[in-house]
Amino acid sequence: MAGGKRTRGGVTTGPVAAAPRVRVLLPLPLGNAYDYRVPEGLALTPGAFVVVPLGGRETIGVVWDGEPDPGLSENRLRNVQAVLDAPPMTAVLRRFVDWVAAYTLSPPGAVLRMAMSAPSALEPPAPQAGWRRAAAPPAGARTTPMRRRVLEVLADGAARAGGELAEAAGVAPAVLRGMADAGLIEPALMPRRRLFAAPDPDHPGPALGPEQREAADALRAAVARHGFSTTLLTGVTGSGKTEVYFEAIAECLRRGRQALVLLPEIALSAQWLDRFRARFGVAPALWHSELTSRTRRETWRAVAEGAAPVLVGARSALFLPYPDLGLIVVDEEHETAFKQEEGVVYHARDMAVVRARLSEAACVLASATPSLESATNAQTGRYATVHLPARHGGAEMPAVEAVDLRRTPPERGRFLSPALVAAVGETLDRGEQAMLFLNRRGYAPMTLCRTCGHRLRCPNCTAWLVEHRAQRRLQCHHCGHVEPIPEACPECGSAHSTVPIGPGVERVLEEARALWPEARVLVMASDTIPGPAAAAAAAKAIQHREVDLIIGTQIVAKGWHFPHLTLVGVVDADLGLAGGDLRAAERTVQLLHQVAGRAGREERPGRVLLQTFAPEHPVMQALVHGDLEAFMEAEADGRRPGHWPPFGRLAALIVSSEDERAADRTARDLGLAAPGGEGVEVLGPAPAPLAILRGRHRRRLLLKTRRDIAVQPLLEDWLDKVEVPGNVRVQVDVDPVGFL
Ligand code: ADP
Ligand code: ZN
Ligand code: ZN
């Protein structure tokens, strides 16, 4: 560990009767807090970051609340070694860590690790040295024009870094050294640079329309109450929800509290950041996985010191050490990207509400297509609602039509129907932009042998290999396995017998190139838009009309505002409906409505064509008639009787092992030990839809209970009853949203 300033305790040797003890939680996926002895001379209160011995190492932990175990004998205790000079972890954050651990059935140490994601930030930043005017310069010191220029730069009495000072005065660094020797200037510690300029709540932003104003008033009032509340902010795509919740942020800033905005995909948020800058004059602090370790450390520290008034981040930003959080906004709250599926499995939207409650803060959940969970909470009055009924600036919602692929199919080997081809052509002829949406990367989702029918599968997963023609290879989208496209069928040996089945965006691109050779086409998929810079460049190119046709995966469904885009074609509207996912229909409606919402956001009206084999399906009907509420009511009616979420509770156990028999045995044992009783039901064990993933065999059990029954105690009892061998892992997922 680096040096830094620490308070060392007096060295105590031998057992001292009744030395004070503390509980210290360590950021390790082990378990609970351990007891340590407090050496004389150290004053410790809960929240302090401390260095303690663990095994043969030193580890940083946090003094936790609660009573140490008095039964632990003195000679088994080890000393806290030092206290770090960092702002202590607040009681709110400690309660949050405990809460998340208990809810998700994770060891508290694993959750603490998320709250200590920049351990180097716990060491105070090394102060930088510079120069300032000597307080008492010797009377006879020689002054030259160069030396006078230096003194002029330093006239305000502040310290400046050597390089910067030499440059400002137009002198060589050696001049400074000479002045120091002569006693004209003296070394001084520089004030720390302020990393994040303060957003100005009164910076002139766009003038809100009357409905926006009313909505903003409601959110401002929620923030001003300085207590916990949750508000669901809904409104059609393009209604200006962002500008409205910006007003809540402004109110929070005026009250001197911090605001947190969670965005589902921060890498795709260039346009959002531009708007923030336009409203508040400066950029916010950012938090996501791609920060450099230095920015991470500095940002963490700035948050802890209250020097990052607004933080915009991915779900992990919930675990930052805000001293006084006054507002949490979860934008696009329906997005599944808020669910973390690895390690501590949690839903950031739900945990945002919890963190807001613990912080006595306002929580705002924003979406044009709220999740059934949030919509239900709004209906039962647990959440307040604020609704924007129309698009900002009088723009109309786009007209949505279904194209029945049974009646008007595309030509053989093609994927765009005559109606869609015509519509794209007309749009391009008018000089407007069109978008084709297909939520599938690559060229074709499946490759098979024409001779024997063999389908090319990933060797590590229950998944087809996806052809990426541009890179001349096959890829597994679940584990990352890649291999060249085989010359001959691996099963029957026929040469050049493999054929692509179905379309991916690359194949749609090929078709588009043939149909509209003049059009400038941009593909937006995670492999063509690898990061924030690429996303920002793509958005600019579209805004500046350097692109005519956009072909994209779900990336294009995000909150983009493309003023010249008037047509959206959905190549396969049925795609998300396959599979046994509880939320398949809900998610398809949300995704397609978001994509559709990209069309016609300014003067010219938008048009949306959905290619489907099932135009009568409730999902298509809801989209065509723009009646999402009726759809969600029908969805609710479908889930209520069976106590499916949100009208009941669900938890999944995923049993996995490289040894298939071991996975089966543990799954069977869990099945035999399953809890039961009134309002409790266990489904499975059954192979997970991805029965093999990265070489691990997976079995799934689902615990379903009535809403008034908590699943955590049931799960704890259940897991206690079954012995899990070392080569088997059982992952607990409370409130699962993915069913792979
Ligand atoms: P939503 O999030 O509801 O889809 P946005 O907040 O993205 O809608 O707003 C849609 C577009 O309208 C954006 O380009 C935004 O800058 C613009 N807009 C919203 N409100 C105003 C306003 N009051 N004045 C000017 N432009 C606005
Ligand atoms: Zn074959
Ligand atoms: Zn794979």
Side-chain angles (χ1 to χ4, degrees), residues 527-540:
D527 38 1
T528 63
I529 307 282
K540 284 239 156 59

Side-chain angles (χ1 to χ4, degrees), residues 206-209 212 235-243 275 331-332 368 388 392 559 561 598 601-602:
L208 300 187
Q212 284 181 314
V236 295
T237 51
S239 56
K241 295 182 287 297
T242 313
E243 304 297 338
R275 285 166 65 186
D331 201 358
E332 310 291 2
L388 294 172
H392 168 77
H561 183 74
R598 298 316 107 203
R601 288 167 73 95
E602 288 198 355

Side-chain angles (χ1 to χ4, degrees), residues 410-426:
E411 284 174 38
R412 239 183 95 77
R414 300 286 182 102
F415 300 93
L416 305 179
S417 63
L420 184 51
V421 170
V424 172
E426 287 157 21

